[in-house]
Amino acid sequence: MAPMAVTPPTEVEKTSDLTLNGIQAALKKAAPSQNPPTTLTPSLTQPTGTTKPSSSPPLPELDASLLQCTYADPSQLKPVLALDDPERQTQRVSTDHMIQAAWSTTKGWSAPTLTPYGPLSLMPSASCLHYATECFEGMKLYRGFDGKLRLFRPTLNCNRMLMSSTRIALPGFPPAELLKLILKLCATDGNRWLPPHQPGQFLYIRPTMIATDAAIGVQRPSEALLFIILTVLPPMDSVPGGVKLLASEDDMCRAWPGGFGYAKVGANYGPSLVAQGEARARGFDQILWLFGPEGVVTEAGASNFFVVWKEKETGKLQLVTNSLDRQIILDGITRRSVLDLARERLASTSSSSFNLEPLEIQERPFTMSEIALAAEENRLVEAFASGTAWFVAPVSKIQWKGKDIEVPMGEDGVMGGYTKAFKGWLRGIMYGEESERGNEWGVVVGDE
Amino acid sequence: MAPMAVTPPTEVEKTSDLTLNGIQAALKKAAPSQNPPTTLTPSLTQPTGTTKPSSSPPLPELDASLLQCTYADPSQLKPVLALDDPERQTQRVSTDHMIQAAWSTTKGWSAPTLTPYGPLSLMPSASCLHYATECFEGMKLYRGFDGKLRLFRPTLNCNRMLMSSTRIALPGFPPAELLKLILKLCATDGNRWLPPHQPGQFLYIRPTMIATDAAIGVQRPSEALLFIILTVLPPMDSVPGGVKLLASEDDMCRAWPGGFGYAKVGANYGPSLVAQGEARARGFDQILWLFGPEGVVTEAGASNFFVVWKEKETGKLQLVTNSLDRQIILDGITRRSVLDLARERLASTSSSSFNLEPLEIQERPFTMSEIALAAEENRLVEAFASGTAWFVAPVSKIQWKGKDIEVPMGEDGVMGGYTKAFKGWLRGIMYGEESERGNEWGVVVGDE
């Protein structure tokens, strides 16, 4: 058994509802007098994640207004990669700056810093190196065709980061303060790394929190570091010939009820890499993770999975994706946005204005057998994976129990009509070409 | 979805059998020509964890004989803590040196180094900080009453470390080379930190491997770091009044078949901390993790769990612990040793030489209901948790579904007779007071 020590009390519920209400409901059971787990808006001024009794003065909260900036010397700025530079594929290039904020149970949140990008110094006994006390978010910074820099529904990411940090015993923070820090970093490096004359490009944003405790005990961390970096990521939504998925075998399981599959914690990723590597070696792009003896479809790699089929009895077209209630899949922002757009634009006969038949939208557990049967009966219409990195990526094949299920890829063989519609709408919002939803979902980054 | 990139092929099976045969069988399916995952003995000279085709010259293997030593200046050595120093409780104190070895897919294993203990420098995008690509071992260095420094069955730990690294997509290595490095670090710092005139003391040994790739993609790591540190840990096997366990609720689950509960990877630990904190806040020492609707007993915190009871029908005494076959519990070295000693010394009437009745030994899934029924019918004899850090710790109470189950703690109220016997035998072996098993299970650290 690994060592441990007595730790401060905590009591936090899990949630996969990313609205403030949802997270607040999930955190309701936390004992605020003992260990206020977090504040959810900047207007709440209670300290977060501290162990002080409520009679003590509140510890400092994460506060973006205290940011201390040390900019890289202009002579030290990295060369910005050309669009055709092969180094873009390495996923190893970060921009020039990073933001950090340290937290401890005794001092609360320290003033955040913006500094030149560089290494972190961690003691070998740091909790995050042993016990996976770490969580992160994945977002993108988009250079719009209107010249503006935008984030896409970033409040949801910041709320989810709080939910993830809570699940992995890391401190809480006001999500709005995290968003301010992200916006500041994007404003600092965005203009140089996403030049206005190259619209349609993006950077990948990675807010991360790690436990930095140099104590070897298996215990709730008493020190943590929040950091935000921006990296260069190649587009991944145009896999030639479509995404090929290998359905997981009965003896493989990504997440389970009562676990943490719904949270963006490191512990969901490392353990999937062996299976992912096996799938790659066999010519597939990702694992389609099934759950349980019924083969319930959960996630495609680390992305959500959608299928469009004709319902057997009624013949109606349905858009189906797994529901969040068992907490074994991530509440993806892209997933949520696809569902929102589908309900808004495709659920009624008004879908005809997009030259698409209306869809019934279902969030429910569905099985690999249902997909196989739909394919066999020529009712399978299309399927796609959705996520921040892969965006909306059409699926062309699923191998299950040794048999290939071919998934239609639309008339042009590139992607089906619904996949194309979702992709186009989202792209329009992300890159400032659609104002209807764009004003609500897009958050423009201010100039530095 | 988090980003990823195309990765080298791999194919590795999981195992919880820590013999070389067991691990070899589990690794058998790996394609050695593509990606030899590991060598298991130093006599095998194939490279490990490389991505080179077999026609390329083999990459360097982890090789303890190449160790490069840079010792701390005597003036910089830390003061060794007195036995009553409260800092011993913090679990924050490491000894003066550490060992490191870097690995990459292109260069294989670099020459290991022994250096003064100090921080690691990691890029913010390092894989281990995001994706829990990390594993570790827990061992102890014992100062015997015969004046010798000893490890306890360290080969099993080194084999398990290989199994864990394989499960979490980290490189393989010859376990025997890891053991040599551990022995070297123990020989370097053991004498000062475990003075010969203070027998019966121990240090905690933490071999760790982390993925250091500065690439943000969710992919098999191409760079890793193995490091070994020694830390000061307080004894944990004498909880006043015995260990109090809170059985997990139906909506909490530590591990799942097809997952990774059997491996010593970080991903098993961080996600348990919230539940652990809740248990502590309610006055318990640890969670007793149950699995499934039947409430199968798996682990107590991060330790194995044993119960002794009278079988209902036959009235025979049984020692019961969960079996390894579903791969949801750790194959603990202490667990294994308790079972070995029980089979050797207590399974027949020869147990009378220890003033103990013979035991039937059962490794099988058993449920919380069985424990509750045994308690109700006065058939519950004793229970204990076993692990490296907690050693053998008697359990006095289990709360399940709101009801307390009192576990007998022996005639003296400190621990039951079997718990005391296992503890005494193991202590004797660890501290050089028993030669029978001691010569087989104890490995003496050579002098520097």
Side-chain angles (χ1 to χ4, degrees), chain B residues 373-395:
Chain B
L373 189 64
E376 203 180 299
E377 297 175 350
N378 287 317
R379 294 185 288 105
L380 190 57
V381 177
E382 55 194 270
F384 58 90
S386 81
T388 296
W390 273 36
F391 190 31
V392 173
V395 171

Side-chain angles (χ1 to χ4, degrees), chain B residues 158-430:
Chain B
C158 294
N159 289 349
R160 189 170 65 183
M161 179 87 170
L162 170 59
M163 184 272 292
S164 298
S165 75
T166 301
R167 178 62 185 85
I168 204 71
L170 284 167
F173 55 88
E177 295 303 301
L178 172 60
L179 178 53
K180 288 180 199 166
L181 293 172
I182 291 169
L183 286 167
K184 170 66 182 178
L185 184 61
C186 291
T188 304
D189 282 353
N191 235 18
R192 212 168 82 78
W193 287 81
L194 292 174
H197 67 275
Q198 290 175 346
Q201 300 295 318
F202 64 84
L203 288 170
Y204 185 77
I205 308 168
R206 174 53 63 91
T208 311
M209 204 192 300
I210 58 175
T212 51
D213 271 52
I216 210 70
V218 178
Q219 60 197 333
R220 218 181 147 78
S222 61
E223 294 173 25
L225 181 73
L226 168 71
F227 62 85
I228 310 164
I229 58 175
L230 301 180
T231 67
V232 175
L233 196 74
M236 293 172 168
D237 53 321
S238 302
V239 178
V243 174
K244 291 167 197 63
L245 298 174
L246 176 63
S248 63
E249 314 258 330
D250 286 350
D251 63 350
M252 293 155 56
C253 183
R254 190 195 83 95
W256 196 270
F260 42 89
Y262 64 94
K264 220 158 171 67
V265 296
N268 280 319
Y269 295 83
S272 75
L273 297 181
V274 170
Q276 186 205 72
E278 262 184 68
R280 299 271 167 83
R282 293 170 59 183
F284 297 89
D285 298 293
Q286 264 299 357
I287 297 278
L288 182 62
W289 289 101
L290 308 184
F291 178 78
E294 313 85 16
V296 170
V297 178
T298 62
E299 292 199 0
S303 66
N304 294 119
F305 179 83
F306 283 85
V307 64
V308 179
W309 60 33
K310 269 202 164 73
E311 210 273 324
K312 194 178 171 72
E313 306 300 325
T314 63
K316 285 188 180 167
L317 281 173
Q318 290 183 333
L319 174 74
V320 186
T321 196
N322 204 339
S323 52
L324 304 174
D325 47 358
R326 291 176 91 180
Q327 299 198 309
I328 56 175
I329 65 166
L330 193 76
D331 184 359
I333 317 295
T334 314
R335 172 189 179 279
R336 182 184 282 250
S337 304
V338 164
L339 288 170
D340 288 344
L341 290 172
R343 291 195 172 103
E344 186 180 293
R345 301 181 183 184
L346 300 175
S348 70
T349 50
S350 66
S351 68
S352 63
S353 60
F354 304 106
N355 286 322
L356 290 167
E357 283 184 60
L359 290 177
E360 281 184 1
I361 291 126
Q362 296 206 334
E363 288 181 76
R364 66 165 175 94
F366 65 105
T367 66
M368 202 54 225
S369 305
E370 290 182 79
I371 295 180
L373 189 64
E376 203 180 299
E377 297 175 350
N378 287 317
R379 294 185 288 105
L380 190 57
V381 177
E382 55 194 270
F384 58 90
S386 81
T388 296
W390 273 36
F391 190 31
V392 173
V395 171
S396 59
K397 190 168 89 171
I398 305 170
Q399 190 175 97
W400 180 51
K401 296 188 174 173
K403 282 190 187 166
D404 280 354
I405 297 170
E406 304 293 336
V407 184
M409 288 276 285
E411 288 176 13
D412 59 5
V414 176
M415 70 185 87
Y418 293 99
T419 308
K420 191 178 291 179
F422 292 124
K423 212 165 158 163
W425 291 331
L426 289 169
R427 193 182 290 279
I429 297 165
M430 289 161 174

